[in-house]
Amino acid sequence: MKPVLAVSIGDYNGIGPEVILKTFFPADNLPFIPLVLGHPAILDFYNPLGTLPVHYAGTVSAIRAGRVNVMAVDEVAPGDIKPGTITKQAGLLSMKAVEKGIALCAAGEASALVTAPISKEAINRAGYNVPGHTEFLARETNCKAFVMMLVTKSLRVGLVSTHIPLKEVAATITRAAVLQQLTVMNRSLSMDFGLNHPKIAVLGLNPHAGDGGVLGDEETEIIIPAIREASSLNIRSEGPFPADGFFGSRAYEGYDAILAMYHDQGLIPFKTLSFGGGVNFTAGLPIIRTSPDHGTAFSIAGRGMANNQSFREAVDLAWQLIQNKVTTAK
């Protein structure tokens, strides 16, 4: 049987169901079997004309090739679906879908998990006190060392700190943290992406990468020592580079990946350069997980306007990583 690709439906009041439907049409020639985790009523709501062949599967053994298979993870009535609205119920189902996807991958019943966007406010209302997908996936898979990476075919950006307030960032930038992220990224670039002895650029934390200590000493006291230690472990990394000049001069083209110190430092230039086609990949997990690099887009939900390019890229990357994993295992 073809590999099963699990897809958590995300917040069903956002654009997740729409981009899923757009991506998997037609479904008969796919090299894998898509299994959407959510509820049949959601796809019925967003697929009123039945243009996409959908099969309702109660178990993995009941799925069918050439169809978009749907498995219920919670109860949903048609009246519960309200595009553009933040609700506790949608938040609860979106996280139950992620939990089910993790379980299927851990059991070997699915080869990878693609997660559609969730609403952090909705999942918080549902009782999930987590900052986002990445941290939740790491916790549920008991993964201590992981890197949130944004990926396109020509650009890969990883982060030292992820979803935390800006005022807390500096305290999280330690020598051990930078070294750990370099180690995880290097291993992922080699094992997941098949790159031989990859080269990683490291950004500074402060403006102008500290200007020799004038604008902060994190570069000289933390980042440079971490880069030197990484080198002793045969990890090729260079820097720290001032973030503005690094991207402005297109220096990123000379590297296989970039390690940024905090969320917006890496994601603003990445999203500017990726033109809506970026993918969120969690390196270091024991399972393959990808996601589009956008949110729920409540403002256009249910209007048929959603662009599925990033979601399609997330599916394509998941499939590539599945194939790379098989090749590496051989």
Side-chain angles (χ1 to χ4, degrees):
M1 188 172 67
K2 294 178 179 180
V4 174
L5 184 69
V7 180
S8 61
I9 202 163
D11 192 300
Y12 58 70
N13 291 323
I15 63 171
E18 181 184 338
V19 296
I20 290 171
L21 288 167
K22 287 180 175 179
T23 298
F24 293 131
F25 180 79
D28 51 352
N29 293 322
L30 295 173
F32 51 81
I33 303 174
L35 175 59
V36 180
L37 307 170
H39 194 279
I42 300 171
L43 291 192
D44 286 343
F45 181 91
Y46 289 98
N47 184 37
L49 300 179
T51 52
L52 186 70
V54 174
H55 173 65
Y56 306 139
T59 63
V60 173
S61 61
I63 64 176
R64 292 171 56 186
R67 297 286 187 274
V68 175
N69 297 269
V70 185
M71 182 181 292
V73 297
D74 200 6
E75 292 301 314
V76 178
D80 297 328
I81 305 169
K82 303 171 183 177
T85 305
I86 298 174
T87 68
K88 172 183 175 180
Q89 186 179 17
L92 179 62
L93 182 138
S94 69
M95 294 306 287
K96 284 188 174 183
V98 176
E99 291 170 346
K100 183 63 175 179
I102 293 170
L104 291 174
C105 290
E109 295 181 292
S111 297
L113 172 63
V114 180
T115 57
I118 58 173
S119 162
K120 292 180 177 62
E121 182 176 347
I123 68 171
N124 186 263
R125 291 185 187 182
Y128 288 85
N129 185 26
V130 291
H133 268 131
T134 302
E135 295 82 359
F136 182 77
L137 283 152
R139 188 184 77 185
E140 293 300 298
T141 58
N142 197 31
C143 178
K144 305 301 182 185
F146 60 93
V147 178
M148 177 178 169
M149 288 179 62
L150 277 293
V151 177
T152 65
K153 291 179 176 62
S154 60
L155 183 63
R156 304 175 188 91
V157 177
L159 305 176
V160 176
S161 62
T162 54
H163 299 111
I164 61 173
L166 188 58
K167 65 181 179 181
E168 297 175 11
V169 166
T172 69
I173 307 302
T174 65
R175 180 173 173 176
V178 174
L179 180 62
Q180 173 184 280
Q181 301 308 79
L182 283 171
T183 303
V184 174
M185 281 185 74
N186 182 69
R187 185 186 304 119
S188 178
L189 291 168
S190 299
M191 301 296 292
D192 297 320
F193 294 90
L195 299 175
N196 183 28
H197 206 35
K199 185 166 67 170
I200 304 170
V202 183
L203 302 182
L205 172 66
N206 298 296
H208 303 180
D211 258 348
V214 176
L215 300 177
D217 61 5
E218 285 84 1
E219 285 76 16
T220 56
E221 299 297 320
I222 295 171
I223 300 175
I224 291 175
I227 292 172
R228 288 174 178 164
E229 188 170 351
S231 179
S232 72
L233 299 174
N234 202 30
I235 298 172
R236 286 205 303 167
S237 57
E238 297 177 358
F241 299 102
D244 55 351
F246 181 81
F247 286 103
S249 65
R250 304 181 71 89
Y252 58 87
E253 294 177 347
Y255 294 87
D256 296 300
I258 301 104
L259 181 63
M261 294 298 111
Y262 58 94
H263 187 279
D264 285 10
Q265 182 189 54
L267 268 59
I268 288 175
F270 176 87
K271 292 189 177 186
T272 301
L273 294 166
S274 67
F275 305 106
V279 178
N280 189 331
F281 166 66
T282 311
L285 292 180
I287 66 173
I288 296 171
R289 177 265 174 161
T290 65
S291 180
D293 71 350
H294 59 71
T296 53
F298 286 128
S299 62
I300 61 170
R303 299 168 63 184
M305 299 169 57
N307 185 329
N308 70 317
Q309 180 185 354
S310 181
F311 191 85
R312 183 180 295 278
E313 294 287 349
V315 169
D316 289 346
L317 178 59
W319 175 239
Q320 175 192 330
L321 295 175
I322 291 170
Q323 294 175 295
N324 290 351
K325 188 174 183 180
V326 171
T327 302
T328 301
K330 292 178 179 179

